[in-house]
Structure formats: structure tokens, C-alpha cells
Amino acid sequence: MNAPRTAPAPDDTAPSASAAARKLRLRYAAIGLWMAFTWCGEGNAPAWEHALRTLVILLILPPLLLRADRHLTHKLYESAHPGRVIAQLITARIAVVTVAFGTSLLLGYLLDPHADRSPVLPAAGFLLLLASIPAQIRRAHRTRAGTTHPATQPALSAPRLITTKLTLITAALLAQLLLTPYLPNATYAVAAALFLTTATFGPAVHGRFLLTHPEPTHDRAADLPG
């Protein structure tokens, strides 16, 4: 049985179109920064190793993260004990990201065990992930305060995201292969291009990643508020 809820005023839960667009741009800028950060983390490894390790992250992260996020967000909206579900949600996100990037690092050591790899970037990435916890808590509370159940809202499609990012990674791999003979710091140039491409074009194609009629994951879908 769903916990009693008090519907907030519409003005508190319906952001303006400009505010939504600004949040979307910031979101894709953060995604682009993270992709560039990941690409730089490969250091002077061959371009194919960059692409392979990034592909491993890509195949692990979106499917697991989107599924866990969707399930626990629905559970959060319906739960009478939101604090416990928020803790589960944040723990799941951190665990999935850690597994994805940890697997990528392990693959790098297996491919080239003698490479000189600095632990600074992985450690900095993990600290940034932990630093995002307060923002995740605020976002979870805003989600719970909304008047529309998450199951009725558009959901991101993992296959579409993977296909798009795979195309982007392939283009980055080819660019680095072409630039390496002529540019000493081709890795950083490609990382910058990844950031600019994602931040610039991501908001424009975001609608293509959405499933406009996601199936509810709760058996009592007919009883959901909204």
C-alpha cells in the first residue's frame, strides 16, 4: 500500500522549459567531462586500448545503472521509509560505477602489466563520485516530492545510449590513430573533442534516447498516484 502523500503546488514541481533545458545542457556537459576524464585516464596507451577499455565501461555502466536507478526510483516514490531506499539507490549507483571502472582498470593491467599507470586519476574519480552524494540525496527527495510517478515518465533506453556512444568511441579511436603520428598529445586532443561533441550535440539528440511509454515495474500499476 502506498504511503500517504501530500501533493506539492504545481509551481514547485514543474520547472520552466528554460530551466529544464539548462539542466539538460549541464547534464551532458558533465557526461562529456566524465568521458574525457576517462579517455585521459588511459595515459599513453595505444588507441585501441583506449577504445577497448572505454567499451567495457560502456557495456557495463548503462544497462546496470539504468535498470537499478529505474527500479529503486520507483520504489522510493512508493516507500513509507524513503531514507532507507535513498541509501540503497546511492549505494547501487556507486557500486555499478565502481565495478565498471574497476573492470576497465583491471583490463588495462592485464593488457599491459608493465605500463606506468598513475593511481591519481582513478582515485580522483572515486572521490568525485563520493562528493556527488549530497546532490544525489537532494535529487532523490525532489523525485519523491513530484506529483507524477516515475513509471509514467519517459525512460532512457540503454541500447540506444550504447549504440550512440559506441559510434562516438569508434570515431574517437579513428581520430587518435590519425592524429598520433602528427600530434604529441593526441590523447588530450581526442578527449577534448569527446567533451565538446557530447556537451554540444547531446541535448539536441536527447529525445532519441527516451522510451516514451516505459512499462511499469510495479504490479499495482493501476494504483500508482499521478
Side-chain angles (χ1 to χ4, degrees):
M1 184 174 180
N2 295 337
R5 303 174 58 79
T6 301
D11 289 342
D12 296 333
T13 59
S16 66
S18 60
R22 182 169 61 253
K23 289 180 180 179
L24 189 62
R25 288 194 298 270
L26 289 174
R27 179 179 177 182
Y28 274 95
I31 293 172
L33 186 62
W34 188 263
M35 290 182 68
F37 184 84
T38 303
W39 196 269
C40 287
E42 308 298 332
N44 294 320
W48 64 266
E49 186 177 332
H50 280 256
L52 181 60
R53 290 181 58 185
T54 306
L55 179 61
V56 167
I57 295 173
L58 178 61
L59 293 177
I60 295 175
L61 196 58
L64 295 182
L65 188 61
L66 290 177
R67 179 174 297 182
D69 197 78
R70 183 160 52 245
H71 170 71
L72 290 171
T73 300
H74 295 180
K75 185 178 177 181
L76 169 64
Y77 194 87
E78 301 164 358
S79 176
H81 305 284
R84 183 165 52 196
V85 183
I86 289 173
Q88 293 173 355
L89 177 61
I90 294 174
T91 301
R93 288 171 176 169
I94 292 175
V96 170
V97 173
T98 301
V99 167
F101 282 86
T103 303
S104 173
L105 287 173
L106 177 60
L107 179 61
Y109 282 110
L110 292 176
L111 292 173
D112 190 359
H114 303 295
D116 184 17
R117 303 180 188 277
S118 172
V120 174
L121 284 177
F126 187 71
L127 290 176
L128 286 174
L129 183 61
L130 295 180
S132 72
I133 290 177
Q136 293 188 56
I137 294 174
R138 290 194 299 270
R139 182 180 177 186
H141 282 294
R142 286 198 299 268
T143 298
R144 181 172 166 79
T147 57
T148 304
H149 193 283
T152 65
Q153 298 176 358
L156 286 169
S157 168
R160 295 176 188 177
L161 281 173
I162 290 174
T163 301
T164 302
K165 289 185 177 180
L166 180 59
T167 302
L168 188 58
I169 291 170
T170 302
L173 170 61
L174 293 175
Q176 184 152 330
L177 288 173
L178 292 173
L179 290 174
T180 297
Y182 309 102
L183 193 63
N185 295 318
T187 295
Y188 301 106
V190 172
L194 280 171
F195 167 73
L196 291 174
T197 301
T198 304
T200 302
F201 297 104
V205 300
H206 177 74
R208 298 179 181 271
F209 301 144
L210 296 177
L211 298 173
T212 54
H213 298 289
E215 295 182 2
T217 59
H218 196 272
D219 291 337
R220 295 172 54 87
D223 298 331
L224 297 180

